[in-house]
Amino acid sequence: MTNHTEEPLESEKKALNFIETIIEEDNLSGKHSGRVHTRFPPEPNGYLHIGHAKSICLNFGTAAKYGGKCNLRFDDTNPEKEETEYVDSIMEDVRWLGFQWDKEPYYASDYFQQLYDWAVLLIQKGLAYVDDQPQEEISRQRGTPTRPGIESPYRSRSVEENLDLFTRMKNGEFPNGSRVLRARIDMTSPNMHMRDPVMYRILHAEHHRTGDTWKIYPMYDYAHGQSDYFEGITHSLCTLEFEVHRPLYDWFLDQLIDTAYRPRQIEFARLNLSYTVMSKRKLLELVRSKIVNGWDDPRMPTIAGLRRRGYTPASIRAFADRIGVAKRDNVIDVGLLEFSIREDLNKTAPRVMAVVDPLKLVITNYPEGQIEEVELVNNPEEPESGSRTIPFGREIYIEREDFMVDPPAKFFRLGPGREVRLKGAYVVRCESFEADKNGVVQKVLCTYDPETKSGSGPKQPKVKGTLHWVEASTAVTAEVRLYDRLFMDEDPAGHKDQDALEFLNPDSLKVVSNCMAEPMLAHVQAGDKFQFQRIGYFCADPDTRPGKPVFNKTVGLKDAWAKMAQKDGQ
Ligand code: ATP
Ligand code: MG
């Protein structure tokens, strides 16, 4: 049956993901009066990575789909690890991905007073107590999933004593680590998180926003659910490991408020990528130990790194869309991320000529000193991008690997006696070559047939190979940074007895300082993206200076994923 309308066929419509199904059920039942309000809650203790991008696309995307709102909330309850630099980078990255949060960003630290007041309320209700034991003792008493915990000797302190101690904790009378405030729940609960969890710790530390106002800081588990509540979040999307924390979040709110409204937490599987480490702690280690050149090193899986590498926001959103959301943990092939940027740049990146490993080729019968212009299409995928001319002359550069002294029959490039077309220009025939004393080829000598000019010449012989090239006297010298995977192991963080750093790829960065490129590339701006014909996609690095372009290789041209995606009907 043919479809006569513009509407997609039922079978072509994208099925709802399980989160959307829940939201639509809630909207139908009028649970939040049709309101959809999500939030993205990063801790400002590092730069965002591609896993966060998944969460950002999910939270902002879901809100947008249902005409709702999405907050950006900094979960800044850990003053020792948090910095304004991270806050700024997070805002930049979220905006760059194409999303705008509702109103101003929120901060958990905005709720410190309210959280404190609620902690006092819990003490007054006999539901929280100050424990004087050291952290190790508290941990020991927690038991194991199969063995119940032991009650603290301080558990039955009077409300008055608890209030007094908690106030003095707040006032900074006690040293770090000497006391904590704990919720008084159930030391025998099968859920370890319900065994009198710590709510507050003493920390004499400067907070990036509240300065030295506070000497005690709430634990994430105490702050998080309440923060969702304060902001009127309807659907609180988080990764699977928080599923077991949910009863605790519910418990706090149940003790503190009696209205019907509750944020609904929904857990989804975090993104894991092959050949990649995603823990912020590990990424910080890579930066601190200078294994990479900062958070935005193009080998990093950070959003800043991907941006510098040449990824576009659209490609990352397409990737997030393609992987979808699941309820079970899985590992995504890093090739799928590469497929997404290749697909995007194939449509948008202008094609240019650049030779990464140059070998001189001299056309001996071409007039000395003559330069002519040849015309090249800018992007065959985008006809309106038009064409440009580039200079051609007697001496050009070709890619070293496009010449072989003694090539096999199937090598459709250059070798003695072989013919190839120089893209957009002429057919040349290799007559001889010059090598140094070690046999390394220094120069390839060719002749050309002036009748074979691409497109316009009277003779258009069929030759099997077409090479890219750059005219030597007008070429721009560019620096090119070629990247390979940072880790050689598929699951670098998944080894029990070996640290991920043991699997570092020693050849993850190769710098080429003498790439020869067509003249136009002298004027690129950081962030400009191109396809170097026959090589791959490249993006101008911020280190670019006038006349001195520096390019990062984003991704090669080869595309194993395209076929698979086609099969999947994507
Ligand atoms: P850590 O808590 O170890 O510092 P984190 O990666 O959990 O690191 P957060 O800043 O707490 O960092 O994360 C912010 C949000 O991003 C959370 O909602 C979290 O669930 C989500 N998130 C983090 N990592 C991933 C991932 N790999 N895939 C999907 N979502 C993620
Ligand atoms: Mg976290």
Side-chain angles (χ1 to χ4, degrees):
M1 208 180 85
T2 46
N3 180 25
H4 294 289
T5 67
E6 293 297 308
E7 282 286 295
L9 288 171
E10 209 47 49
S11 60
E12 288 168 356
K13 277 191 191 154
K14 224 173 158 192
L16 296 183
N17 67 43
F18 75 97
I19 294 173
E20 293 165 344
T21 305
I22 293 175
I23 290 176
E24 298 204 356
E25 281 166 12
D26 286 349
N27 284 353
L28 271 180
S29 73
K31 184 165 173 201
H32 299 289
S33 358
R35 220 162 49 80
V36 175
H37 202 154
T38 58
R39 85 287 170 269
F40 172 64
E43 184 182 348
N45 62 350
Y47 279 58
L48 297 181
H49 52 58
I50 182 72
H52 295 113
K54 169 179 173 166
S55 177
I56 292 168
C57 292
L58 181 63
N59 278 293
F60 285 91
T62 306
K65 177 168 178 176
Y66 293 100
K69 294 172 182 169
C70 181
N71 291 357
L72 172 63
R73 180 201 314 138
F74 292 101
D75 254 315
D76 54 351
T77 52
N78 242 333
E80 285 171 311
K81 291 190 177 156
E82 294 157 7
E83 291 174 26
T84 309
E85 177 196 347
Y86 299 139
V87 170
D88 295 341
S89 76
I90 289 170
M91 294 198 282
E92 181 186 356
D93 289 349
V94 172
R95 277 200 211 102
W96 179 78
L97 277 174
F99 299 108
Q100 186 53 56
W101 48 89
D102 187 46
K103 306 202 179 88
E104 292 300 305
Y106 293 83
Y107 295 84
S109 53
D110 292 341
Y111 313 131
F112 280 174
Q113 185 62 47
Q114 172 78 67
L115 289 167
Y116 176 80
D117 293 344
W118 273 4
V120 168
L121 192 65
L122 289 176
I123 294 175
Q124 286 165 342
K125 289 183 166 198
L127 295 171
Y129 62 97
V130 173
D131 196 331
D132 300 356
Q133 301 181 104
Q135 190 53 51
E136 308 80 69
E137 191 55 33
I138 293 176
S139 301
R140 218 176 356 259
Q141 291 170 358
R142 274 182 86 211
T144 67
T146 50
R147 187 164 47 80
I150 298 165
E151 292 188 355
S152 160
Y154 299 96
R155 200 174 196 262
S156 43
R157 268 184 162 145
S158 70
V159 169
E160 290 67 37
E161 194 184 359
N162 278 319
L163 284 176
D164 173 60
L165 286 171
F166 190 50
T167 309
R168 290 166 60 195
M169 279 167 68
K170 174 188 170 241
N171 292 342
E173 286 185 33
F174 307 121
N176 286 354
S178 57
R179 287 185 166 87
V180 292
L181 183 74
R182 297 176 71 179
R184 195 169 190 273
I185 310 179
D186 179 5
M187 288 306 290
T188 64
S189 170
N191 182 338
M192 299 281 289
H193 298 284
M194 301 298 276
R195 295 184 187 172
D196 291 12
V198 174
M199 293 167 57
Y200 272 91
R201 64 214 190 280
I202 300 172
L203 207 55
H204 296 260
E206 181 90 4
H207 187 280
H208 72 112
R209 293 189 79 239
T210 60
D212 59 4
T213 308
W214 292 91
K215 316 293 180 200
I216 54 171
Y217 287 92
M219 302 301 289
Y220 179 86
D221 271 353
Y222 175 61
H224 192 77
Q226 269 78 274
S227 302
D228 280 346
Y229 175 82
F230 298 142
E231 293 172 19
I233 300 306
T234 56
H235 300 87
S236 175
L237 315 180
C238 65
T239 41
L240 285 177
E241 67 271 25
F242 292 103
E243 187 170 1
V244 283
H245 297 237
R246 180 161 21 105
L248 176 61
Y249 300 165
D250 291 342
W251 184 89
F252 281 127
L253 286 176
D254 288 346
Q255 314 312 313
L256 291 163
I257 50 161
D258 43 24
T259 51
Y261 155 69
R262 291 283 187 282
R264 173 167 185 174
Q265 176 171 306
I266 307 169
E267 301 87 11
F268 65 94
R270 64 172 44 237
L271 167 67
N272 300 302
L273 265 190
S274 62
Y275 295 97
T276 308
V277 300
M278 209 91 91
S279 122
K280 274 195 265 185
R281 196 173 47 80
K282 272 277 163 261
L283 296 179
L284 182 63
E285 196 179 335
L286 289 170
V287 172
R288 291 240 166 106
S289 58
K290 300 208 174 351
I291 291 168
V292 296
N293 305 313
W295 285 100
D296 68 345
D297 185 298
R299 291 165 292 179
M300 290 282 271
T302 52
I303 296 176
L306 292 168
R307 174 166 61 231
R308 191 165 181 180
R309 179 83 174 245
Y311 277 75
T312 59
S315 69
I316 294 176
R317 291 195 304 263
F319 170 72
D321 197 39
R322 200 165 265 131
I323 57 178
V325 278
K327 268 195 261 200
R328 215 141 0 107
D329 273 318
N330 56 8
V331 181
I332 302 289
D333 190 326
V334 70
L336 187 60
L337 180 63
E338 294 167 355
F339 166 74
S340 298
I341 184 60
R342 202 180 277 122
E343 186 189 47
D344 188 10
L345 293 178
N346 178 44
K347 289 190 207 122
T348 57
R351 275 55 172 166
V352 294
M353 298 273 230
V355 175
V356 170
D357 187 8
L359 172 63
K360 186 66 91 50
L361 182 154
V362 180
I363 304 165
T364 54
N365 61 339
Y366 192 91
E368 238 165 291
Q370 178 178 311
I371 295 284
E372 67 179 293
E373 297 289 323
V374 303
E375 190 171 4
L376 290 170
V377 167
N378 285 330
N379 185 352
E381 301 285 326
E382 200 187 9
E384 61 278 20
S385 68
S387 61
R388 72 191 183 291
T389 58
I390 65 166
F392 179 82
R394 177 182 163 94
E395 300 206 355
I396 63 171
Y397 292 108
I398 61 166
E399 213 65 65
R400 180 166 286 279
E401 62 167 32
D402 283 337
F403 176 82
M404 275 180 90
V405 171
D406 188 14
K410 286 247 153 80
F411 184 77
F412 298 123
R413 298 177 256 170
L414 263 189
R418 304 267 177 112
E419 285 190 344
V420 293
R421 176 170 291 284
L422 297 172
K423 186 166 178 65
Y426 300 94
V427 172
V428 293
R429 180 190 151 83
C430 174
E431 307 294 350
S432 63
F433 64 91
E434 292 172 9
D436 66 10
K437 61 180 189 319
N438 301 316
V440 178
V441 178
Q442 300 297 313
K443 202 183 264 185
V444 177
L445 302 168
C446 292
T447 52
Y448 87 122
D449 180 349
E451 308 265 272
T452 59
K453 187 158 186 184
S454 206
S456 60
K459 282 206 289 192
Q460 298 289 326
K462 282 213 163 67
V463 284
K464 285 235 168 85
T466 300
L467 305 188
H468 65 280
W469 53 271
V470 170
E471 196 279 320
S473 70
T474 52
V476 178
T477 306
E479 178 179 319
V480 161
R481 299 171 183 169
L482 303 168
Y483 301 102
D484 198 356
R485 290 181 174 139
L486 193 52
F487 293 95
M488 294 185 295
D489 190 81
E490 227 181 301
D491 184 13
H495 297 262
K496 258 211 177 112
D497 312 314
Q498 281 167 291
D499 190 87
L501 298 189
E502 291 183 41
F503 300 99
L504 280 171
N505 177 2
D507 301 315
S508 60
L509 170 60
K510 204 178 128 203
V511 178
V512 175
S513 55
N514 65 333
C515 168
M516 294 296 165
E518 62 173 85
M520 173 188 92
L521 295 187
H523 313 292
V524 295
Q525 307 278 324
D528 287 352
K529 297 170 179 61
F530 301 95
Q531 185 196 93
F532 287 9
Q533 295 230 286
R534 297 181 63 229
I535 303 178
Y537 294 98
F538 289 77
C539 175
D541 189 82
D543 290 343
T544 291
R545 295 290 169 267
K548 290 207 166 79
V550 177
F551 289 102
N552 294 312
K553 181 170 181 181
T554 309
V555 70
L557 293 177
K558 129 176 124 343
D559 201 347
W561 273 95
K563 282 191 198 117
M564 295 173 86
Q566 250 165 21
K567 248 189 0 208
D568 292 350
Q570 288 176 344

